[in-house]
Amino acid sequence: MSNLHKKRRQLVEYLIREGVLKSENVIKAFLKVPREEFVLPEYRNSAYEDHPLPIPKGQTISAPHMCAMMCELLAIEEGCNILEIGTGSGYHAALCAEITSPTDSPTSGYVISVEYFPELAEYAKNNLARAGYDDRVHVLVCDGSSGVPTFRKFDRILVTAAAPCIPSYLLELLNAPGRLVIPVGSTFYQVLTLVEKDREGNVRESKMGGCIFVPLLGKYGYRENTY
Ligand code: SAH
């Protein structure tokens, strides 16, 4: 087993011990997706440390425990169609793809991930291709604070940047039943918020604890260079 492979296993064991990773399908995805392909080359050896790392355009790849918490809250099932706002490195999108459409079974669900910076969308596309997820993750460039260029609805939605509030269009894009996870708050501190939509379309919001993400930019986010 290679050194990085061993470190990946150790990180997964740590996240299980800490009670963050719980579900078999999420654990399987964490064991499968190579985080080293999503970090900058100079951070390859730190890929399995449990903290965020810098990526281009002053953004970050989230800490593994945060990706794990969000995947667990989303309760992704095989075949779910997923929307991510904030592609960044593409790592979290690859995890979602591995859960909804596992590498070892016929492709079913898909992930659409949108990114504000074209340079990062390119970065993520390259990472996803190297890791083998470019067939299941579609990366688009747009301002995900105000809308996405699709008429499809999604079973699961994740926002991986700090939002001042829940963009109302996202609630409309969410299927019934469906789940949305989003960090809501200021640019310094947010509350990870779970929105559950039931079969009848009733929406329930739960606060799942504090977190810190980079700001959501764009029309209904925070203005670039003002935070
Ligand atoms: N999910 C990422 C990490 C996200 S960091 C990963 O796995 O690596 C937050 C990302 O959201 C950054 O890449 C940032 O550029 C992007 N972002 C910020 N505002 C956005 C917006 N309005 N629309 C789409 N993406 C946005």
Side-chain angles (χ1 to χ4, degrees):
M1 197 185 286
S2 74
N3 195 26
L4 282 172
H5 205 127
K6 200 164 133 200
K7 286 186 179 173
R8 192 187 310 161
R9 274 214 85 88
Q10 285 168 344
L11 172 67
V12 169
E13 284 161 10
Y14 162 74
L15 292 174
I16 293 172
R17 257 195 332 271
E18 291 298 312
V20 180
L21 272 178
K22 297 174 202 155
S23 312
E24 200 183 318
N25 58 352
V26 184
I27 293 171
K28 246 181 99 187
F30 267 79
L31 285 172
K32 181 94 191 168
V33 180
R35 191 169 187 258
E36 66 271 24
E37 299 299 345
F38 295 87
V39 300
L40 291 167
E42 56 269 40
Y43 295 113
R44 228 178 137 79
N45 280 327
S46 304
Y48 294 105
E49 292 166 11
D50 189 21
H51 51 72
L53 286 167
I55 56 173
K57 304 301 286 180
Q59 305 300 313
T60 54
I61 173 173
S62 306
H65 73 265
M66 189 45 67
C67 297
M69 284 170 73
M70 292 179 90
C71 284
E72 292 285 358
L73 287 174
L74 284 167
I76 302 166
E77 288 157 17
E78 212 170 311
C80 279
N81 295 329
I82 304 173
L83 172 67
E84 179 187 44
I85 310 293
T87 315
S89 67
Y91 176 65
H92 206 158
L95 286 172
C96 291
E98 184 58 41
I99 302 170
T100 188
S101 185
T103 306
D104 54 11
S105 71
T107 302
S108 41
Y110 58 81
V111 180
I112 292 184
S113 183
V114 305
E115 172 54 50
Y116 187 80
F117 293 108
E119 296 91 324
L120 270 180
E122 278 313 300
Y123 173 70
K125 280 184 195 170
N126 287 330
N127 297 341
L128 287 160
R130 267 200 321 279
Y133 290 95
D134 49 337
D135 57 339
R136 283 160 282 170
V137 180
H138 309 283
V139 178
L140 305 173
V141 177
C142 74
D143 172 8
S145 76
S146 59
V148 291
T150 172
F151 295 110
R152 299 179 207 183
K153 287 197 164 196
F154 297 88
D155 306 307
R156 303 289 187 268
I157 299 177
L158 63 156
V159 179
T160 59
C165 60
I166 302 176
S168 57
Y169 89 91
L170 286 181
L171 297 177
E172 278 151 39
L173 278 188
L174 189 62
N175 270 331
R179 282 177 167 237
L180 158 70
V181 175
I182 177 170
V184 182
S186 70
T187 55
F188 297 104
Y189 177 81
Q190 305 92 40
V191 173
L192 195 59
T193 306
L194 168 68
V195 178
E196 291 166 279
K197 199 189 248 192
D198 68 17
R199 261 171 221 291
E200 284 71 46
N202 305 309
V203 164
R204 193 179 68 176
E205 228 178 276
S206 319
K207 297 187 190 324
M208 307 310 298
C211 56
I212 300 173
F213 280 79
V214 294
L216 183 72
L217 305 170
K219 190 168 173 201
Y220 297 108
Y222 293 98
R223 273 215 324 243
E224 225 177 311
N225 304 325
T226 59
Y227 52 85

